[in-house]
Amino acid sequence: MKRILVLLFLVLCYTNPSVAQLKKVTLEEIWSSNFSPERLESIRSMNNGNQYTLLKSNPNNLFSAIEKYDYTSLQRIETIVSTEDNSDIPYFTTYLFSEEESAIILGTQVEKVYRRSTKGIYYTYDLANKQLKQISDQKIQEPSFSPDGTKIAYVYRNNLYVFDRITSNRTQLTFDGLENNIINGIADWVYEEEFYLVRAFEWNSDGTKLAFLKFDESEVPVFSMDRYGEDLYPSQTVFKYPKAGETNAKVSLQIYDLVTENMDLVSLDSPYYIPRLEWRNNPDDLSIHSINRHQNHLKLWSYNVLTKKLSLLHEETDKAYLKIKDDLTFLPDDRFIWSSEKDGYNHLYLYSKEGELLNQITSGAWEVTKYYGYNPETSVLFFQSTENGSINRDVYSITLKGKKKKRLSSKSGTNSADFSSNFSFFINTYSSANTPPIATLNSADNGEEINVILDNALLRTKLLSYEISPKEFSTLSVNGNDLNMWMIKPKNFDPKKKYPLLMVQYSGPGSQRVANKWNNDNDYWFQMLASNDYIVACIDGRGTGFKGRDFKKVTYKELGKYEVEDQIKAAEELSKLAYIDEQRTGIWGWSYGGFMSTNCLLKGNETFEMAIAVAPVTSWRFYDTVYTERFMQTPQENPSGYDENSPLNYPELLKGKYLLVHGSGDDNVHVQNSMRMVEALVQANKAFDWAIYPDKDHGIYGGNTKLHLYTKMTNFIMKNL
């Protein structure tokens, strides 16, 4: 009988993770994607609103296909195009339908240029006659259909071209494009990085005109990076990068008429940046965003190409700064929807076609975080917001008059929507800090769930056998504010023990790290640290987003001051907890977070014993114009703001253990930042650890790079904290 009971106990231990010994997450498992959740592939709604397409691909056997599915049944209806069905079609990784869905652009051999830009070999495929045509023999950028689908505009070597799908003729529209000098139709580095603009040309509604931006970079200072590679001699990457206070590209707006073949220069009222172009419903009316260098005075213009008349539709000012968004929507009658923080929170507004305010659509002490679109048949628009708490996101609908608001999502956490083209359905992707993504098909009318598309049941089951601790959300009273916080404790947490504390953060303007959503691989790293008896905590201090304009913009002209004060004070408050070892407090961050962790270790040298900084900014004088001057003005105007919070200026304050990491090929936060920090610490005779990853960019990835980096950081933490 005793033997039977022992065997029964062993069986229960094996099958019940709560009794059996749970496994610890390992770095090898994290970076081999063992815990990656299943995510819904990017879907594209068909014009009929009842069907959508997915790209299916397998790079191992060079198979790719575009497949059509039904929204309600989720069943595959047909394969639209496939490399298996047509041997002439090369393996493709991107696709784009023409407006009327009669043709597709297929992207092959696509390679990255900078963070958002790519170039590749592109083909056009006619669905009616199954004809495949190569748009260009060379790698091109941003091919885009004309509205009728007969033409494709693209950029090659900084010049704008048009390819005629019917005749196969290629017409070159500009001839002065030159690397590191003149760019036509593609944004320069800083517009791409900070305004999220890559394609800088737009077709009008009848396909007779192309509006595009020309960037004159001739006076922008050059930045260069060595590339070590595998050759005998290193090569160099050279590009124009305007650092804070330096000369930006001169940007002009031009319009090419494909009928008359005339090129017109549009004279704007002293614009400094032109971050957005959008044609209105009338094919002769173009809307233009312009903003001054301080980015606190935004103008929305309307330009008529026939009369050459330029009129001001709307303008907005702010004592601090304004950020360019993509919420502008022109309704069929040319009224337009616009988002603004002018009442203290980001909300949606309706304006007449002449720019007169008609009404505020949304309001309240919460933020609209995403605008999804407008259904002209029902006069209802759809958006995502923080109304259910700043760490949560929900999907809502509301009328143009701001009436009949409905919450369409039902679970507390982060909900995001992908609507069908006629706004009949939406795919809701839900997750929370402790729930992997779940995708469902829902009715856009009332949010009713129709089908479950994916639920990550396999991942949830797998994680049951690992030491996974829940994220605990709370607020922490710091410097007169209740700051959002999460904490991960060891699975076998004992409140009578003392644990070392690792604080993680980013802290950049408008950012958020304390969010009720399923995050990325760093969360598994935090779980691994927790399983080794560390407590990991994250606090979003002043300057972060989604708690209103004033909370976010308090850091204006003082990046690295209030955010650092909040992290230091938060560490002090957490150290008062009975289960925190106040002599073992560390902080970690990447990019802006690395700037923060470095400053915290120096300015908070009585509070923090250890810090890791990955790819940090060490002086905002080294960073680009658009981002830095938005928050700091120029170094010439605000020298104290730049220097008093730069860790380069007080390396002698270092007392704790410091690890500094950078990729030598970082085109965003240049390795210059870390090299200057190294020199400052050397001259202050301070001991520290550092690592440079050759040719790696701001993400520091590729092959075993991430595994190596996180192994180094883990060992550093376990040795020094």
Side-chain angles (χ1 to χ4, degrees):
M1 184 65 181
K2 286 184 179 179
R3 184 178 179 187
I4 293 174
L5 289 174
V6 169
L7 288 173
L8 181 60
F9 176 75
L10 290 174
V11 170
L12 288 172
C13 285
Y14 181 76
T15 58
N16 187 347
S18 65
V19 179
Q21 178 66 44
L22 295 174
K23 294 182 287 187
K24 293 185 178 182
V25 173
T26 67
L27 291 172
E28 288 77 11
E29 288 175 300
I30 295 173
W31 296 111
S32 64
S33 301
N34 191 42
F35 300 117
S36 295
E38 182 184 1
R39 296 188 184 276
L40 191 64
E41 297 176 70
S42 178
I43 71 168
R44 305 188 189 191
S45 178
M46 303 295 287
N47 289 343
N48 60 27
N50 298 314
Q51 298 160 345
Y52 61 90
T53 60
L54 289 174
L55 173 64
K56 302 288 186 178
S57 64
N58 186 330
N60 294 326
N61 59 14
L62 299 182
F63 163 77
S64 50
I66 302 170
E67 297 183 337
K68 185 191 295 184
Y69 290 80
D70 180 77
Y71 268 112
T72 51
S73 70
L74 304 181
Q75 296 299 307
R76 182 170 66 86
I77 299 172
E78 66 170 310
T79 298
I80 296 175
V81 60
S82 168
T83 54
E84 282 187 344
D85 298 337
N86 188 334
S87 59
D88 291 334
I89 298 175
Y91 172 70
F92 57 92
T93 54
T94 68
Y95 72 99
L96 176 69
F97 275 100
S98 61
E99 192 171 300
E100 77 293 347
E101 298 178 345
S102 63
I104 311 174
I105 293 174
L106 304 175
T108 72
Q109 303 177 46
V110 177
E111 64 180 81
K112 178 180 174 182
V113 179
Y114 295 118
R115 187 194 295 259
R116 298 175 179 87
S117 55
T118 59
K119 61 182 178 180
I121 299 293
Y122 291 90
Y123 295 80
T124 175
Y125 181 74
D126 190 293
L127 294 180
N129 59 27
K130 312 299 182 184
Q131 189 175 27
L132 185 75
K133 290 185 178 181
Q134 189 167 336
I135 298 172
S136 171
D137 296 334
Q138 307 296 326
K139 288 197 170 185
I140 62 175
Q141 292 183 267
E142 299 300 313
S144 175
F145 280 112
S146 60
D148 65 3
T150 62
K151 297 178 178 62
I152 295 169
Y154 64 91
V155 173
Y156 171 61
R157 290 189 175 178
N158 293 5
N159 279 314
L160 190 60
Y161 291 75
V162 170
F163 173 73
D164 190 309
R165 289 184 51 243
I166 309 303
T167 64
S168 297
N169 291 333
R170 297 174 181 87
T171 304
Q172 185 171 348
L173 307 188
T174 65
F175 297 86
D176 56 351
L178 183 64
E179 185 179 5
N180 289 329
N181 195 303
I182 300 292
I183 311 173
N184 294 287
I186 292 289
D188 68 352
W189 187 95
V190 74
Y191 268 59
E192 174 182 333
E193 179 67 25
E194 307 302 354
F195 288 136
Y196 305 152
L197 181 69
V198 177
R199 191 186 77 210
F201 67 82
E202 295 291 340
W203 289 98
N204 71 340
S205 60
D206 65 6
T208 60
K209 298 175 180 67
L210 273 168
F212 67 95
L213 298 179
K214 180 188 291 287
F215 293 81
D216 182 348
E217 297 187 295
S218 58
E219 297 179 12
V220 178
V222 171
F223 187 83
S224 62
M225 299 184 300
D226 286 332
R227 296 287 186 181
Y228 299 98
E230 297 179 355
D231 295 332
L232 184 61
Y233 290 91
S235 61
Q236 270 199 333
T237 296
V238 179
F239 60 102
K240 296 299 184 85
Y241 185 106
K243 299 198 175 193
E246 298 298 313
T247 302
N248 280 290
K250 296 175 182 176
V251 184
S252 59
L253 169 60
Q254 305 203 40
I255 298 176
Y256 182 82
D257 190 314
L258 277 75
V259 177
T260 65
E261 300 183 357
N262 289 332
M263 185 83 74
D264 288 331
L265 175 67
V266 179
S267 297
L268 292 177
D269 182 19
S270 304
Y272 194 80
Y273 296 117
I274 308 175
R276 293 290 184 273
L277 302 174
E278 184 174 341
W279 289 93
R280 302 179 73 175
N281 295 311
N282 184 326
D284 296 321
D285 289 336
L286 175 69
S287 76
I288 307 149
H289 285 67
S290 72
I291 195 166
N292 61 334
R293 183 159 187 164
H294 283 170
Q295 297 171 72
N296 58 12
H297 190 178
L298 174 63
K299 295 180 180 180
L300 176 65
W301 301 94
S302 183
Y303 178 76
N304 184 277
V305 296
L306 297 181
T307 65
K308 314 296 184 187
K309 181 182 178 182
L310 183 71
S311 57
L312 185 63
L313 269 181
H314 178 67
E315 66 181 319
E316 199 161 319
T317 60
D318 193 284
K319 292 180 181 178
Y321 57 87
L322 297 161
K323 192 171 182 182
I324 300 299
K325 291 169 283 194
D326 291 304
D327 299 333
L328 174 64
T329 302
F330 288 100
L331 307 184
D333 59 4
D334 254 4
R335 289 178 298 168
F336 61 92
I337 296 168
W338 180 267
S339 65
S340 172
E341 294 179 322
K342 63 183 179 181
D343 78 343
Y345 295 87
N346 191 54
H347 282 294
L348 299 172
Y349 295 80
L350 178 66
Y351 288 85
S352 72
K353 63 181 181 180
E354 293 83 15
E356 177 187 355
L357 176 63
L358 298 177
N359 63 277
Q360 183 171 346
I361 301 170
T362 63
S363 62
W366 45 269
E367 305 257 337
V368 171
T369 47
K370 197 163 193 178
Y371 166 67
Y372 290 118
Y374 169 73
N375 185 349
E377 293 186 6
T378 60
S379 295
V380 168
L381 57 86
F382 301 88
F383 64 95
Q384 180 198 61
S385 83
T386 63
E387 188 170 357
N388 192 31
S390 59
I391 67 170
N392 297 315
R393 301 288 186 273
D394 277 290
V395 179
Y396 291 86
S397 65
I398 195 170
T399 66
L400 274 181
K401 294 182 178 180
K403 307 293 184 182
K404 300 180 181 180
K405 184 174 64 179
K406 294 179 186 177
R407 182 185 176 196
L408 300 179
S409 50
S410 58
K411 297 177 182 177
S412 183
T414 296
N415 296 273
S416 61
D418 192 322
F419 283 85
S420 62
S421 58
N422 63 0
F423 293 98
S424 296
F425 309 103
F426 70 96
I427 293 176
N428 188 79
T429 301
Y430 162 79
S431 75
S432 72
N434 304 304
T435 307
I438 298 172
T440 58
L441 179 70
N442 299 69
S443 164
D445 179 53
N446 54 20
E448 180 183 357
E449 185 178 302
I450 300 171
N451 263 318
V452 176
I453 302 173
L454 66 84
D455 62 5
N456 274 298
L458 290 177
L459 177 60
R460 292 203 309 273
T461 301
K462 177 187 290 187
L463 292 176
L464 290 176
S465 62
Y466 286 84
E467 284 190 34
I468 302 294
S469 300
K471 270 186 180 177
E472 301 173 3
F473 289 93
S474 62
T475 58
L476 188 67
S477 182
V478 170
N479 295 325
N481 294 279
D482 291 331
L483 305 182
N484 292 337
M485 178 177 79
W486 60 250
M487 182 179 286
I488 299 175
K489 298 172 182 173
K491 188 78 171 176
N492 58 351
F493 173 72
D494 181 352
K496 297 178 181 178
K497 286 180 61 175
K498 290 277 191 180
Y499 296 90
L501 171 68
L502 177 67
M503 292 173 58
V504 304
Q505 47 68 57
Y506 179 76
S507 304
S511 66
Q512 185 178 50
R513 289 299 179 268
V514 183
N516 190 11
K517 66 179 180 179
W518 192 258
N519 283 332
N520 54 27
D521 297 320
N522 280 338
D523 270 1
Y524 292 115
W525 183 47
F526 303 150
Q527 292 289 347
M528 191 210 76
L529 293 172
S531 71
N532 284 279
D533 280 348
Y534 289 88
I535 286 179
V536 184
C538 180
I539 296 95
D540 276 343
R542 284 173 289 178
T544 56
F546 312 109
K547 296 183 75 174
R549 176 199 177 281
D550 294 341
F551 183 85
K552 178 175 66 176
K553 296 182 180 179
V554 70
T555 61
Y556 183 57
K557 297 175 69 175
E558 295 281 2
L559 293 187
K561 175 178 170 59
Y562 299 108
E563 312 97 298
V564 170
E565 290 176 1
D566 283 354
Q567 295 296 320
I568 294 172
K569 185 63 176 176
E572 292 172 355
E573 292 299 313
L574 292 176
S575 292
K576 295 176 183 178
L577 297 173
Y579 51 83
I580 298 293
D581 186 344
E582 64 178 351
Q583 301 301 316
R584 300 169 70 192
T585 304
I587 188 166
W588 172 84
W590 196 307
S591 194
Y592 198 105
F595 164 71
M596 287 289 298
S597 61
T598 303
N599 267 321
C600 286
L601 186 63
L602 299 182
K603 291 188 174 184
N605 56 16
E606 299 297 328
T607 303
F608 292 98
E609 284 72 44
M610 184 222 77
I612 299 175
V614 181
V617 172
T618 59
S619 170
W620 290 108
R621 291 176 181 270
F622 299 152
Y623 203 56
D624 72 62
T625 48
V626 174
Y627 181 93
T628 310
E629 294 172 10
R630 180 187 301 152
F631 309 119
M632 295 284 281
Q633 296 189 355
T634 67
Q636 295 85 346
E637 295 167 304
N638 181 26
S640 63
Y642 278 79
D643 297 335
E644 289 177 7
N645 299 304
S646 167
L648 297 181
N649 294 324
Y650 34 86
E652 68 281 356
L653 297 182
L654 179 63
K655 291 183 180 179
K657 302 297 183 179
Y658 181 52
L659 173 61
L660 176 63
V661 179
H662 222 116
S664 73
D666 192 334
D667 65 289
N668 183 4
V669 180
H670 304 146
V671 72
Q672 174 188 22
N673 285 271
S674 284
M675 291 302 187
R676 289 288 287 269
M677 192 70 221
V678 166
E679 177 62 12
L681 292 169
V682 167
Q683 294 308 318
N685 198 28
K686 294 293 181 178
F688 63 98
D689 291 88
W690 64 306
I692 299 294
Y693 285 88
D695 297 340
K696 299 305 182 223
D697 65 15
H698 197 55
I700 311 183
Y701 64 92
N704 280 326
T705 305
K706 272 285 198 288
L707 175 60
H708 187 278
L709 169 60
Y710 277 80
T711 300
K712 175 176 283 293
M713 294 193 295
T714 301
N715 292 339
F716 188 81
I717 290 168
M718 291 184 174
K719 178 181 178 181
N720 297 297
L721 191 61

